[in-house]
């Protein structure tokens, strides 16, 4: 973790607005680099096709799955209506799980793609930082493991929120807002993993850093989560989200020195590598 500082940064509404700003900066970077944007679309399109096939299968077999899951209802006179309702609930749960896991699965599929894209962003901003680069397979396995841990935490929060969603008034007002903030935070966890791993930060350290910068983390993740609720939009925005996450880490969360850039004028305050291009 040499060379990694922890800037104070703004908190509250100011920090939230700052996080939103990094969303737009990342999308702007992708718009200015169309070849890299197309490059970053590939894993998102692969994930979209896989999810679409899975959801089509679930939609056409939801009643069969419901019948398999409710053998106790075989003798009920109203079992068909009951199983239809269960089938609808299974499909809705599958759709919600697809939304929650789409980013994690896309990042696992696109690890080599997004690693290159994230590196390109940092090179444009002054160069790659000192860090703990891992061999491809070690990085891939760590990414899968970390994504599974993150998914566990997401489900730990999402299941109670799903149940609370049936509570009148609260379920239609408070729960969706809390759910968006929870999902937005974990979306930031996933998207910033590449840039933080480049700085030698492990999962627990990344979580601690994001929690200590909660406002900026939420400001970055919540708008993206809301946008990612639209499947096609999530595909289009994914390259920009990865670019924005690299900027968020480099310029706000964990600034790091660039090898060979040790002259007095070559390093920004707080250990951050000097940007060579305007935002």
């Amino acid at each position: 973790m040499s060379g990694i500082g922890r800037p104070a940064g703004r908190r509250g509404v100011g920090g939230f607005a700052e996080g939103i700003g990094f969303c737009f900066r990342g999308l702007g970077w992708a718009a200015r680099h169309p070849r890299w944007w197309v490059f970053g679309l590939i894993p998102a399109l692969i994930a979209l096709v896989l999810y679409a096939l899975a959801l089509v299968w679930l939609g056409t077999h939801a009643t069969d799955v419901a019948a398999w899951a409710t053998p106790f209802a075989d003798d009920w006179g109203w079992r068909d209506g009951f199983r239809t309702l269960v089938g609808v609930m299974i499909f809705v749960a599958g759709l919600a799980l697809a939304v929650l896991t789409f980013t994690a699965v896309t990042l696992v599929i696109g690890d080599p793609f997004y690693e290159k894209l994230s590196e390109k962003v940092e090179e444009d901003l002054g160069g790659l930082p000192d860090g703990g680069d891992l061999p491809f397979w070690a990085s891939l396995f760590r990414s899968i493991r970390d994504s599974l841990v993150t998914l566990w935490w997401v489900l730990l929060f999402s299941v109670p929120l799903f149940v609370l969603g049936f509570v009148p008034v609260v379920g239609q007002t408070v729960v969706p807002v809390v759910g968006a903030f929870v999902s937005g935070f974990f979306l930031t966890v996933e998207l910033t993993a590449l840039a933080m791993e480049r700085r030698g930060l492990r999962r627990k350290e990344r979580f601690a850093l994001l929690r200590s910068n909660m406002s900026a983390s939420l400001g970055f993740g919540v708008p993206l989560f809301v946008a990612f609720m639209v499947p096609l939009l999530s595909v289009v925005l994914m390259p920009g989200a990865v670019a924005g996450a690299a900027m968020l880490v480099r310029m706000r969360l964990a600034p790091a020195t660039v090898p060979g850039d040790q002259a007095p004028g070559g390093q920004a305050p707080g250990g951050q590598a000097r940007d060579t291009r305007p935002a």
Side-chain angles (χ1 to χ4, degrees):
M1 291 177 57
S2 175
I4 297 175
R6 294 200 179 192
R10 289 180 288 178
R11 299 182 181 278
V13 176
F16 192 87
E18 190 177 12
I20 294 175
F22 280 107
C23 287
F24 286 102
R25 295 181 73 162
L27 296 174
W29 186 92
R32 294 192 303 272
H33 298 78
R35 291 175 61 184
W36 283 97
W37 174 71
V38 173
F39 180 76
L41 285 180
I42 296 172
L45 288 172
I46 293 173
L48 179 65
V49 170
L50 293 176
Y51 272 89
L53 292 174
L55 288 173
V56 167
W57 182 90
L58 184 61
T60 56
H61 293 81
T63 304
D64 296 333
V65 175
W68 172 82
T70 58
F72 54 84
D74 287 343
D75 298 328
W76 294 5
W78 48 287
R79 66 175 180 275
D80 291 340
F82 172 73
R83 284 174 172 167
T84 298
L85 178 61
V86 172
V88 171
M89 293 179 64
I90 289 173
F91 181 79
V92 171
L95 185 61
L97 186 62
V99 171
L100 291 172
T101 60
F102 180 82
T103 300
V105 172
T106 301
L107 289 173
V108 170
I109 293 173
D111 188 81
F113 292 83
Y114 294 135
E115 179 69 33
K116 293 297 182 184
L117 191 152
S118 182
E119 287 179 357
K120 174 61 177 174
V121 173
E122 297 223 46
E123 288 172 354
D124 278 3
L125 294 177
L128 296 176
D130 294 306
D133 290 337
L134 292 175
F136 169 73
W137 289 110
S139 176
L140 178 62
F141 289 133
R142 176 185 288 184
S143 176
I144 294 173
R145 182 193 64 196
D146 289 352
S147 294
L148 290 174
V149 172
T150 302
L151 177 60
W152 164 252
W153 281 104
V154 169
L155 293 176
L156 200 63
F157 283 96
S158 298
V159 171
L161 288 173
F162 178 77
V163 174
L164 289 173
F166 293 99
V167 178
V169 182
V170 174
Q172 292 73 51
T173 54
V174 177
V175 171
V177 174
V178 174
F181 274 73
V182 170
S183 299
F185 174 77
F186 285 109
L187 181 57
T188 302
V189 170
E190 290 284 351
L191 290 170
T192 56
L194 287 172
M196 288 196 184
E197 284 186 353
R198 193 173 299 125
R199 287 154 173 78
L201 291 166
R202 300 299 181 93
R203 184 180 65 252
K204 290 183 179 180
E205 295 169 323
R206 299 199 303 265
F207 268 83
L209 186 57
L210 289 169
R211 285 198 305 268
S212 66
N213 293 272
M214 184 63 75
S215 296
S217 301
L218 292 175
F220 181 77
V222 171
L224 286 174
F225 170 75
V226 174
F228 281 15
M229 293 291 288
V230 182
L232 291 178
L233 193 58
S234 65
V235 173
V236 173
L237 297 182
M238 182 63 79
V242 173
M247 294 178 177
L248 175 65
V249 172
R250 181 187 183 91
M251 304 169 70
R252 173 65 168 80
L253 299 178
T257 56
V258 175
D261 195 16
Q262 302 299 327
Q267 185 174 320
Q272 179 177 332
R274 178 181 57 194
D275 288 351
T276 58
R277 297 189 181 187

